[in-house]
Amino acid sequence: MASAILFPQFSSAYNHRHPYVALSLKELPPTQAVSAVLENHSAIGLVHLTPIDLQNLHDQLDVRILLEDTAIVLTNKNHPLAKSKSVSIRSLFDYPFVIYGEQTNPPSHWIFDLMAPYGQVKRCMFTNSTALFLENITTNGYISFFSQKHWQAIKSDFEDELVAIPLRSKQERQLFISYLALLT
């Protein structure tokens, strides 16, 4: 998400101001990016954090919030939820989830923890493959939570196949707030 939203603008501005200074970018999962900054292998980190991550890191690093985001539900245009103006968390439990992340077999996931008061996910696939993630949504009827800001950045590439649906209540939307942060 960070690279899709901010890096093209940042890179252009940096190169304009510092034409003779090399800029090196390495894309890492958030936990590895945090470790790279903590261990001084990287000068800065640009990461997507949950509120819990944010609280835990404030004691260890300088954290600057660059933007706040919330999640939408991503599905294909033929999915039963596709024509909905908004959805409740409870309405999602009848459908399989696909979750993109660095771990493909986690014992637990923060999304399930947030959803637990509303019910239990019956079927879920974890993947670290973008192609498999998109294939399961576009052709296999899976749904996923997805960054609203990231969706806005890539929407034109996928709007013929995918639909983004907001969560219905303010309380549900607040559960899925996340932050794009600069770590130093």
Side-chain angles (χ1 to χ4, degrees), residues 87-101:
V87 291
S88 68
I89 290 176
R90 289 189 200 285
S91 69
L92 304 176
F93 292 111
D94 292 332
Y95 306 102
F97 275 82
V98 59
I99 295 178
Y100 181 85

PDB file of all heavy atoms in Angstrom, residues 87-101:
ATOM      1  N   VAL A  87     -22.264  -2.913   3.935  1.00  0.00           N
ATOM      2  CA  VAL A  87     -22.476  -4.232   4.534  1.00  0.00           C
ATOM      3  C   VAL A  87     -22.155  -4.180   6.025  1.00  0.00           C
ATOM      4  O   VAL A  87     -21.330  -3.390   6.462  1.00  0.00           O
ATOM      5  CB  VAL A  87     -21.607  -5.330   3.864  1.00  0.00           C
ATOM      6  CG1 VAL A  87     -22.061  -5.598   2.452  1.00  0.00           C
ATOM      7  CG2 VAL A  87     -20.138  -4.979   3.912  1.00  0.00           C
ATOM      8  N   SER A  88     -22.820  -5.031   6.772  1.00  0.00           N
ATOM      9  CA  SER A  88     -22.491  -5.174   8.187  1.00  0.00           C
ATOM     10  C   SER A  88     -21.498  -6.322   8.316  1.00  0.00           C
ATOM     11  O   SER A  88     -21.432  -7.198   7.455  1.00  0.00           O
ATOM     12  CB  SER A  88     -23.750  -5.480   9.008  1.00  0.00           C
ATOM     13  OG  SER A  88     -24.226  -6.769   8.677  1.00  0.00           O
ATOM     14  N   ILE A  89     -20.747  -6.321   9.377  1.00  0.00           N
ATOM     15  CA  ILE A  89     -19.793  -7.418   9.591  1.00  0.00           C
ATOM     16  C   ILE A  89     -20.535  -8.743   9.674  1.00  0.00           C
ATOM     17  O   ILE A  89     -20.113  -9.741   9.106  1.00  0.00           O
ATOM     18  CB  ILE A  89     -18.937  -7.163  10.850  1.00  0.00           C
ATOM     19  CG1 ILE A  89     -17.968  -6.003  10.579  1.00  0.00           C
ATOM     20  CG2 ILE A  89     -18.164  -8.423  11.256  1.00  0.00           C
ATOM     21  CD1 ILE A  89     -17.130  -5.589  11.766  1.00  0.00           C
ATOM     22  N   ARG A  90     -21.677  -8.764  10.341  1.00  0.00           N
ATOM     23  CA  ARG A  90     -22.448 -10.019  10.475  1.00  0.00           C
ATOM     24  C   ARG A  90     -22.838 -10.606   9.114  1.00  0.00           C
ATOM     25  O   ARG A  90     -22.932 -11.818   8.972  1.00  0.00           O
ATOM     26  CB  ARG A  90     -23.705  -9.789  11.300  1.00  0.00           C
ATOM     27  CG  ARG A  90     -23.429  -9.562  12.761  1.00  0.00           C
ATOM     28  CD  ARG A  90     -24.741  -9.557  13.565  1.00  0.00           C
ATOM     29  NE  ARG A  90     -24.607  -8.916  14.841  1.00  0.00           N
ATOM     30  CZ  ARG A  90     -24.005  -9.423  15.899  1.00  0.00           C
ATOM     31  NH1 ARG A  90     -23.445 -10.595  15.824  1.00  0.00           N
ATOM     32  NH2 ARG A  90     -23.932  -8.757  17.028  1.00  0.00           N
ATOM     33  N   SER A  91     -23.065  -9.753   8.123  1.00  0.00           N
ATOM     34  CA  SER A  91     -23.483 -10.249   6.804  1.00  0.00           C
ATOM     35  C   SER A  91     -22.344 -10.918   6.032  1.00  0.00           C
ATOM     36  O   SER A  91     -22.588 -11.541   4.998  1.00  0.00           O
ATOM     37  CB  SER A  91     -24.068  -9.107   5.973  1.00  0.00           C
ATOM     38  OG  SER A  91     -23.056  -8.183   5.604  1.00  0.00           O
ATOM     39  N   LEU A  92     -21.124 -10.836   6.525  1.00  0.00           N
ATOM     40  CA  LEU A  92     -19.971 -11.370   5.799  1.00  0.00           C
ATOM     41  C   LEU A  92     -19.656 -12.824   6.124  1.00  0.00           C
ATOM     42  O   LEU A  92     -18.945 -13.491   5.375  1.00  0.00           O
ATOM     43  CB  LEU A  92     -18.725 -10.522   6.107  1.00  0.00           C
ATOM     44  CG  LEU A  92     -18.848  -9.036   5.808  1.00  0.00           C
ATOM     45  CD1 LEU A  92     -17.571  -8.312   6.245  1.00  0.00           C
ATOM     46  CD2 LEU A  92     -19.144  -8.784   4.344  1.00  0.00           C
ATOM     47  N   PHE A  93     -20.187 -13.345   7.205  1.00  0.00           N
ATOM     48  CA  PHE A  93     -19.794 -14.670   7.678  1.00  0.00           C
ATOM     49  C   PHE A  93     -20.247 -15.822   6.795  1.00  0.00           C
ATOM     50  O   PHE A  93     -19.748 -16.939   6.928  1.00  0.00           O
ATOM     51  CB  PHE A  93     -20.253 -14.883   9.121  1.00  0.00           C
ATOM     52  CG  PHE A  93     -19.521 -14.008  10.095  1.00  0.00           C
ATOM     53  CD1 PHE A  93     -20.170 -12.976  10.739  1.00  0.00           C
ATOM     54  CD2 PHE A  93     -18.177 -14.198  10.341  1.00  0.00           C
ATOM     55  CE1 PHE A  93     -19.493 -12.153  11.615  1.00  0.00           C
ATOM     56  CE2 PHE A  93     -17.484 -13.379  11.216  1.00  0.00           C
ATOM     57  CZ  PHE A  93     -18.141 -12.354  11.864  1.00  0.00           C
ATOM     58  N   ASP A  94     -21.164 -15.597   5.881  1.00  0.00           N
ATOM     59  CA  ASP A  94     -21.618 -16.661   4.978  1.00  0.00           C
ATOM     60  C   ASP A  94     -20.679 -16.864   3.792  1.00  0.00           C
ATOM     61  O   ASP A  94     -20.892 -17.771   2.993  1.00  0.00           O
ATOM     62  CB  ASP A  94     -23.022 -16.350   4.455  1.00  0.00           C
ATOM     63  CG  ASP A  94     -24.076 -16.433   5.549  1.00  0.00           C
ATOM     64  OD1 ASP A  94     -23.864 -17.198   6.518  1.00  0.00           O
ATOM     65  OD2 ASP A  94     -25.092 -15.731   5.438  1.00  0.00           O
ATOM     66  N   TYR A  95     -19.665 -16.027   3.672  1.00  0.00           N
ATOM     67  CA  TYR A  95     -18.795 -16.062   2.504  1.00  0.00           C
ATOM     68  C   TYR A  95     -17.355 -16.362   2.896  1.00  0.00           C
ATOM     69  O   TYR A  95     -16.896 -15.985   3.967  1.00  0.00           O
ATOM     70  CB  TYR A  95     -18.862 -14.709   1.759  1.00  0.00           C
ATOM     71  CG  TYR A  95     -20.271 -14.333   1.426  1.00  0.00           C
ATOM     72  CD1 TYR A  95     -20.960 -13.384   2.178  1.00  0.00           C
ATOM     73  CD2 TYR A  95     -20.944 -14.961   0.380  1.00  0.00           C
ATOM     74  CE1 TYR A  95     -22.272 -13.057   1.889  1.00  0.00           C
ATOM     75  CE2 TYR A  95     -22.258 -14.639   0.083  1.00  0.00           C
ATOM     76  CZ  TYR A  95     -22.920 -13.693   0.841  1.00  0.00           C
ATOM     77  OH  TYR A  95     -24.214 -13.382   0.557  1.00  0.00           O
ATOM     78  N   PRO A  96     -16.627 -17.038   1.989  1.00  0.00           N
ATOM     79  CA  PRO A  96     -15.211 -17.316   2.291  1.00  0.00           C
ATOM     80  C   PRO A  96     -14.360 -16.051   2.179  1.00  0.00           C
ATOM     81  O   PRO A  96     -14.610 -15.197   1.329  1.00  0.00           O
ATOM     82  CB  PRO A  96     -14.813 -18.339   1.219  1.00  0.00           C
ATOM     83  CG  PRO A  96     -15.747 -18.089   0.091  1.00  0.00           C
ATOM     84  CD  PRO A  96     -17.038 -17.613   0.712  1.00  0.00           C
ATOM     85  N   PHE A  97     -13.366 -15.953   3.044  1.00  0.00           N
ATOM     86  CA  PHE A  97     -12.434 -14.830   3.060  1.00  0.00           C
ATOM     87  C   PHE A  97     -11.109 -15.246   2.442  1.00  0.00           C
ATOM     88  O   PHE A  97     -10.680 -16.391   2.585  1.00  0.00           O
ATOM     89  CB  PHE A  97     -12.141 -14.390   4.504  1.00  0.00           C
ATOM     90  CG  PHE A  97     -13.137 -13.449   5.068  1.00  0.00           C
ATOM     91  CD1 PHE A  97     -14.328 -13.914   5.599  1.00  0.00           C
ATOM     92  CD2 PHE A  97     -12.894 -12.085   5.069  1.00  0.00           C
ATOM     93  CE1 PHE A  97     -15.255 -13.042   6.125  1.00  0.00           C
ATOM     94  CE2 PHE A  97     -13.810 -11.200   5.594  1.00  0.00           C
ATOM     95  CZ  PHE A  97     -15.001 -11.681   6.127  1.00  0.00           C
ATOM     96  N   VAL A  98     -10.446 -14.294   1.830  1.00  0.00           N
ATOM     97  CA  VAL A  98      -9.051 -14.459   1.445  1.00  0.00           C
ATOM     98  C   VAL A  98      -8.305 -13.281   2.075  1.00  0.00           C
ATOM     99  O   VAL A  98      -8.772 -12.145   2.022  1.00  0.00           O
ATOM    100  CB  VAL A  98      -8.832 -14.525  -0.086  1.00  0.00           C
ATOM    101  CG1 VAL A  98      -9.327 -13.284  -0.790  1.00  0.00           C
ATOM    102  CG2 VAL A  98      -7.372 -14.798  -0.421  1.00  0.00           C
ATOM    103  N   ILE A  99      -7.189 -13.593   2.719  1.00  0.00           N
ATOM    104  CA  ILE A  99      -6.417 -12.565   3.408  1.00  0.00           C
ATOM    105  C   ILE A  99      -4.997 -12.598   2.870  1.00  0.00           C
ATOM    106  O   ILE A  99      -4.350 -13.652   2.843  1.00  0.00           O
ATOM    107  CB  ILE A  99      -6.437 -12.767   4.937  1.00  0.00           C
ATOM    108  CG1 ILE A  99      -7.870 -12.582   5.435  1.00  0.00           C
ATOM    109  CG2 ILE A  99      -5.474 -11.808   5.625  1.00  0.00           C
ATOM    110  CD1 ILE A  99      -8.068 -12.799   6.906  1.00  0.00           C
ATOM    111  N   TYR A 100      -4.553 -11.440   2.439  1.00  0.00           N
ATOM    112  CA  TYR A 100      -3.194 -11.289   1.922  1.00  0.00           C
ATOM    113  C   TYR A 100      -2.289 -10.875   3.079  1.00  0.00           C
ATOM    114  O   TYR A 100      -2.615  -9.968   3.832  1.00  0.00           O
ATOM    115  CB  TYR A 100      -3.164 -10.212   0.835  1.00  0.00           C
ATOM    116  CG  TYR A 100      -1.796 -10.016   0.238  1.00  0.00           C
ATOM    117  CD1 TYR A 100      -1.364 -10.824  -0.790  1.00  0.00           C
ATOM    118  CD2 TYR A 100      -0.946  -9.034   0.728  1.00  0.00           C
ATOM    119  CE1 TYR A 100      -0.111 -10.667  -1.345  1.00  0.00           C
ATOM    120  CE2 TYR A 100       0.316  -8.870   0.184  1.00  0.00           C
ATOM    121  CZ  TYR A 100       0.721  -9.687  -0.852  1.00  0.00           C
ATOM    122  OH  TYR A 100       1.971  -9.530  -1.384  1.00  0.00           O
ATOM    123  N   GLY A 101      -1.171 -11.560   3.221  1.00  0.00           N
ATOM    124  CA  GLY A 101      -0.250 -11.206   4.288  1.00  0.00           C
ATOM    125  C   GLY A 101       1.028 -12.003   4.199  1.00  0.00           C
ATOM    126  O   GLY A 101       1.151 -12.926   3.383  1.00  0.00           O
TER     127      GLY A 101
END
